[in-house]
Amino acid sequence: MVTVLYKSTRNSSIRVESAAAIAKGISDEGGLFVPESIPMLTMGELKSLAGKTYAQRAAYVFSKFLTDFTDAELRYCTESAYTTKAFDTDNIAEIVHLFDNTYMLELWHGPTCAFKDMALQILPYFLTTAVKKLHMDKKVVILVATSGDTGKAALEGFKDVEGTEIMVFYPVEGVSDMQKRQMVTQEGNNVTVCAVKGNFDDCQSGVKKIFTNHEVLQSLEHGGMTFSSANSINWGRLVPQIVYYISSYVSLAESGEIAYGDLLNVVVPTGNFGNILAAYYAKMMGVPIGKLICASNINKVLTDFIRTGVYDKNRQFYATASPSMDILISSNLERLLYLLTGEDDMQIREWFTSLSETGKYEVTDAVKKKMISFFYGGFCDDAATKETIREIHEKNGYTCDTHTAVAVKVYKDYQNETGDTTKTIIASTASPFKFSASVLDALGEKPIEGTDEYDMVELLHEVSGMKIPQSLADLKTKPRRFEKSIDKTDMQQFVLQELHLS
Ligand SMILES: *Cc1c(COP(=O)(O)O)cnc(C)c1O
């Protein structure tokens, strides 16, 4: 077996093993860890994954990337994470036929009802295993910036995990009622949740600054602690997302919907560019994936970038019905550009310095050309999102959440524009119950004045005929524990206080 080491996108001479990349989360100079080579999967290997459980498929894929983990360690991680205790289906991810050549890949059957569980149920096992392997003997402090779903999924993954402490920051006005309730009622003795008066980008920039602040790092060192990240900048978050693209290809072939070797397009509702980047990695490994369709809401910085080669975050920020995609700085794009520039760390440093100083950068024609050969970018506004929810509910008897609806709409636009009839999977990223108010509104159901999110969940259950996820039903009676909201300039002080370091 070949050893795969990890380099930083901003300094190609850095080489660490995967355990160190996962434990650190981000490289010291601010770059993201990427594998120095992308392992390949032959068609024979792909076929050999048929008949295997999700956990077994995952362990196989991880053995290619996390080469410093033993098989026993990987089995422990995958078998602990992908169980029916945490997920409400044996398949872990479900595939549902939507229409024509199009399938929904339902990634929200985990404990927090969003696709983030696919990675965040396993990350704590990766991280604690990595810390043990490295004999770090330090408490790992996980800082999370969330646009709503990552926070809860990380809290559920890390709650009461020995040797860890987790702190989550969310934008005060940027999350749905259900997302907020999920977070402020979080149980566990090692958890903190705090609202920030700002948007998601403020939370993410704040966390990134704390991560790289020397004074803070020194205080932490003195206190016997170290930071890590549960955001998709952490390779340990990204690698589990590659698995479900590979697994769904195998499942579709297994059930005869496609033949091995057929192309499969992938549509992803995108924010931080993590989920769609995972599909790109699956394609680079040799899985016959065709076009990668990147769907944005009206915060369409990625659509513009894919179409023009200019990344420009200097624009109005909109709070939309798909809040987990309300993002103007898509962190994982850095990994893609590193690959598309032929691993040119100097160029990446230049672009991302320009992004932090001017909010803008422009890629070369060569990179732009490569980008549009792999990706199609499209967007839609809230009105079109809601129209799409209504349409597929009526025509296809399928109820989807707002994020997934953005993907469906952009896919329809793509089909109209190109006439492409390749078989396609759409990543369905959240349960509609997480966004009941918006989904009901789309379906023309007017909630009665004075009703709370639970009346809406009940109403959505009646309208959709779908089962209410138990984890959401259970929240109703849980006490609120975290009511604090702070200015974005106070995040660092807050962290130090909570850790008793100031
Ligand atoms: C996080 C999230 C997204 C965006 O995923 P990225 O990996 O950040 O691109 C889309 N939909 C939902 C429901 C999410 O929680």
Side-chain angles (χ1 to χ4, degrees):
M1 200 83 181
V2 201
T3 303
V4 176
L5 294 176
Y6 287 76
K7 313 198 263 202
S8 162
T9 50
R10 299 193 194 178
N11 181 352
S12 294
S13 68
I14 288 176
R15 289 279 189 293
V16 298
E17 292 197 313
S18 77
I22 291 170
K24 285 176 80 73
I26 188 168
S27 188
D28 290 333
E29 79 302 334
L32 307 188
F33 289 113
V34 286
E36 58 177 351
S37 62
I38 298 177
M40 297 302 291
L41 268 181
T42 64
M43 202 53 70
E45 285 178 285
L46 211 52
K47 286 179 186 169
S48 76
L49 294 177
K52 297 243 164 76
T53 64
Y54 189 87
Q56 288 167 332
R57 290 174 182 176
Y60 191 80
V61 174
F62 296 151
S63 73
K64 302 231 156 204
F65 282 104
L66 314 181
T67 52
D68 49 325
F69 283 61
T70 65
D71 285 344
E73 285 166 343
L74 291 178
R75 243 190 344 260
Y76 159 73
C77 293
T78 51
E79 284 170 11
S80 307
Y82 299 124
T83 67
T84 48
K85 215 175 107 212
F87 291 81
D88 67 9
T89 159
D90 286 337
N91 294 327
I92 307 300
E94 282 294 339
I95 299 175
V96 178
H97 181 245
L98 185 63
F99 49 70
D100 307 328
N101 284 334
T102 308
Y103 304 82
M104 283 292 190
L105 173 57
E106 293 181 347
L107 301 170
W108 43 261
H109 288 278
T112 76
C113 305
F115 89 94
K116 306 292 198 295
D117 289 326
M118 300 300 294
L120 282 162
Q121 280 296 302
I122 195 161
L123 181 65
Y125 294 101
F126 280 161
L127 194 69
T128 47
T129 304
V131 165
K132 250 186 235 149
K133 293 172 78 66
L134 299 166
H135 308 288
M136 274 170 55
D137 201 27
K138 279 183 192 165
K139 178 183 256 187
V140 180
V141 180
I142 311 290
L143 290 190
V144 182
T146 184
S147 55
D149 291 329
T150 299
K152 178 61 183 179
L155 289 161
E156 273 303 306
F158 280 98
K159 74 168 177 214
D160 294 329
V161 171
E162 214 176 307
T164 71
E165 178 105 25
I166 173 161
M167 279 186 211
V168 171
F169 296 97
Y170 70 92
V172 71
E173 299 294 347
V175 301
S176 81
D177 289 341
M178 185 59 85
Q179 288 177 315
K180 184 170 175 185
R181 187 186 284 248
Q182 280 185 311
M183 287 189 280
V184 301
T185 58
Q186 179 63 43
E187 292 162 345
N189 290 320
N190 61 341
V191 304
T192 307
V193 175
C194 183
V196 175
K197 294 169 194 151
N199 60 34
F200 170 71
D201 290 314
D202 295 325
C203 295
Q204 180 161 259
S205 308
V207 163
K208 253 193 150 177
K209 264 188 213 142
I210 299 171
F211 265 130
T212 46
N213 181 301
H214 281 286
E215 265 170 64
V216 178
L217 292 177
Q218 263 173 5
S219 310
L220 232 67
E221 179 80 34
H222 282 300
M225 299 179 215
T226 182
F227 280 136
S228 190
S229 167
N231 281 98
S232 55
I233 54 174
N234 192 325
W235 181 253
R237 248 300 285 284
L238 208 69
V239 71
Q241 300 184 181
I242 300 172
V243 175
Y244 47 74
Y245 292 110
I246 297 171
S247 177
S248 59
Y249 189 92
V250 173
S251 295
L252 284 172
E254 215 176 1
S255 60
E257 308 285 332
I258 57 172
Y260 285 102
D262 285 357
L263 281 183
L264 184 65
N265 288 344
V266 175
V267 190
V268 185
T270 301
N272 225 346
F273 209 77
N275 202 1
I276 196 165
L277 182 71
Y280 176 80
Y281 270 105
K283 182 176 165 76
M284 291 303 106
M285 291 175 77
V287 181
I289 288 172
K291 207 73 176 177
L292 299 160
I293 298 158
C294 175
S296 300
N297 65 27
I298 197 74
N299 294 299
K300 61 181 181 62
V301 67
L302 285 169
T303 311
D304 293 343
F305 178 59
I306 291 168
R307 292 182 181 178
T308 67
V310 178
Y311 195 98
D312 188 355
K313 75 159 185 101
N314 304 308
R315 61 178 73 208
Q316 167 106 40
F317 175 88
Y318 298 95
T320 74
S322 44
S324 299
M325 295 154 68
D326 291 346
I327 289 174
L328 294 179
I329 304 173
S330 299
S331 306
N332 272 296
L333 205 52
E334 179 165 344
R335 286 190 165 107
L336 177 72
L337 294 176
Y338 183 71
L339 293 171
L340 296 186
T341 54
E343 314 202 330
D344 188 344
D345 54 348
M346 286 251 293
Q347 181 68 84
I348 297 298
R349 274 207 304 274
E350 189 188 310
W351 287 339
F352 284 83
T353 304
S354 164
L355 180 66
S356 71
E357 284 169 4
T358 70
K360 197 172 161 178
Y361 61 87
E362 178 168 9
V363 299
T364 59
D365 282 344
V367 167
K368 189 183 152 192
K369 232 168 128 181
K370 277 192 208 162
M371 197 161 58
I372 54 180
S373 73
F374 296 117
F375 293 90
Y376 169 91
F379 73 99
C380 77
D381 62 14
D382 278 355
T385 304
K386 290 188 176 169
E387 176 62 28
T388 305
I389 292 175
R390 200 178 55 74
E391 191 181 306
I392 66 168
H393 178 76
E394 262 173 29
K395 283 196 190 152
N396 312 107
Y398 189 89
T399 310
C400 75
D401 93 294
T402 45
H403 304 76
T404 309
V406 169
V408 174
K409 171 67 172 127
V410 168
Y411 171 57
K412 287 187 168 181
D413 291 346
Y414 166 79
Q415 275 201 310
N416 284 338
E417 200 178 307
T418 61
D420 188 353
T421 56
T422 307
K423 291 250 162 105
T424 297
I425 49 169
I426 298 176
S428 176
T429 50
S431 157
F433 287 105
K434 255 190 128 156
F435 302 95
S436 298
S438 300
V439 174
L440 283 169
D441 182 35
L443 296 177
E445 298 285 339
K446 291 274 167 284
I448 307 149
E449 198 81 37
T451 53
D452 71 2
E453 62 263 45
Y454 281 95
D455 301 314
M456 292 194 221
V457 163
E458 197 57 48
L459 182 56
L460 183 58
H461 160 67
E462 283 163 28
V463 173
S464 67
M466 291 169 75
K467 193 174 165 294
I468 300 170
Q470 193 58 42
S471 58
L472 296 186
D474 289 346
L475 292 180
K476 191 167 183 175
T477 51
K478 289 194 178 162
R480 290 170 180 269
R481 296 180 62 198
F482 304 100
E483 300 283 12
K484 204 164 190 164
S485 81
I486 62 172
D487 286 325
K488 59 186 177 186
T489 45
D490 293 336
M491 288 170 65
Q492 178 169 319
Q493 193 49 35
F494 179 83
V495 168
L496 292 175
Q497 266 167 15
E498 287 293 319
L499 296 174
H500 308 292
L501 293 175
S502 75

